[in-house]
Amino acid sequence: QLQLQESGPGLVKPSETLSLTCTVSGGSISSSSYYWGWIRQPPGKGLEWIGSIYYSGSTYYNPSLKSRVTISVDTSKNQFSLKLSSVTAADTAVYYCARQERNYYDSSGPYFDYWGQGTLVTVSS
Amino acid sequence: QSALTQPASVSGSPGQSITISCTGTSSDVGGYNYVSWYQQHPGKAPKLMIYEVSNRPSGVSNRFSGSKSGNTASLTISGLQAEDEADYYCSSYTSSSFVVFGGGTKLTVL
């Protein structure tokens, strides 16, 4: 059974960089059938897609966050990571990592089928 | 990229059917059969309920069904049960930004 687990600091100071890692177990991150994504949810609000990465390193980012986001992959550790720079209180959220199906024919990412449990990151001094 | 439009809340009595709409544009919902729906209970991670407009993952009750007409997708839950009370989110592939979510709908079972 595939499992994803987010890890990283639960508290980040304003203007600093938020860093999270997602460890994948029960399956290979190097599969050509999937992307690996980050989604966040501010307290009491809806889901926001942050970005996704393919095992080769190709990335897709939410245009509204693109200037501050970097997603990377480490296939040797079966992990992928998120960095969000210059954070403010508005970046306080539960951050989820998830597996995203990759369509073979058009390289789209139709849906997220496995999710981590999520980790709350609070931005505060 | 604007979020897909969902009603903030819907409600229904046990045994009834409800439908949640998800409206986008021809660049997302209307342009691709890549709409998915997620159920989220409080404090839990989202769970995939419907993918590619109308397909159910293994283990999801057949009381959940999805459809699409033009730029609007819909999730229908029939035979409403107390355990269905949750937040529901739609999502679509989009040509401009890859993925977009709806704002979410709170389902209350009366």
Side-chain angles (χ1 to χ4, degrees), chain A residues 10-43:
Chain A
L11 181 63
V12 181
K13 290 182 169 55
S15 81
E16 295 190 343
T17 296
L18 177 160
S19 296
L20 295 174
T21 295
C22 182
T23 300
V24 179
S25 58
S28 174
I29 204 169
S30 299
S31 170
S32 61
S33 299
Y34 306 107
Y35 296 109
W36 304 90
W38 288 99
I39 302 101
R40 71 179 183 179
Q41 184 172 36

Side-chain angles (χ1 to χ4, degrees), chain A residues 41 49 96 103 106 108 112, chain B residues 34 38 40 44-45 89 97 99:
Chain A
Q41 184 172 36
W49 172 69
Y96 295 100
N103 185 289
D106 60 16
S108 64
F112 297 94
Chain B
Y34 293 150
Y38 303 87
Q40 186 181 34
K44 300 295 186 181
Y89 294 90
S97 63
V99 176

Side-chain angles (χ1 to χ4, degrees), chain A residues 35 39 41 45-47 49 52 60 63 96 100 103 106-113 115-116, chain B residues 1 34-36 38 40 44-48 51-52 89 91 93 96-99 101-103:
Chain A
Y35 296 109
I39 302 101
Q41 184 172 36
K45 296 187 178 181
L47 301 172
W49 172 69
S52 300
Y60 302 84
Y96 295 100
Q100 183 180 12
N103 185 289
D106 60 16
S107 298
S108 64
Y111 54 89
F112 297 94
D113 57 355
W115 295 65
Chain B
Q1 176 68 40
Y34 293 150
V35 177
S36 52
Y38 303 87
Q40 186 181 34
K44 300 295 186 181
K47 175 187 176 183
L48 179 67
Y51 67 95
E52 294 172 351
Y89 294 90
S91 178
Y93 171 77
S96 60
S97 63
F98 204 57
V99 176
F101 282 98

Side-chain angles (χ1 to χ4, degrees), chain A residues 49-66:
Chain A
W49 172 69
I50 300 170
S52 300
I53 191 165
Y54 191 49
Y55 78 94
S56 64
S58 297
T59 52
Y60 302 84
Y61 295 138
N62 186 324
S64 67
L65 298 169
K66 187 174 183 177

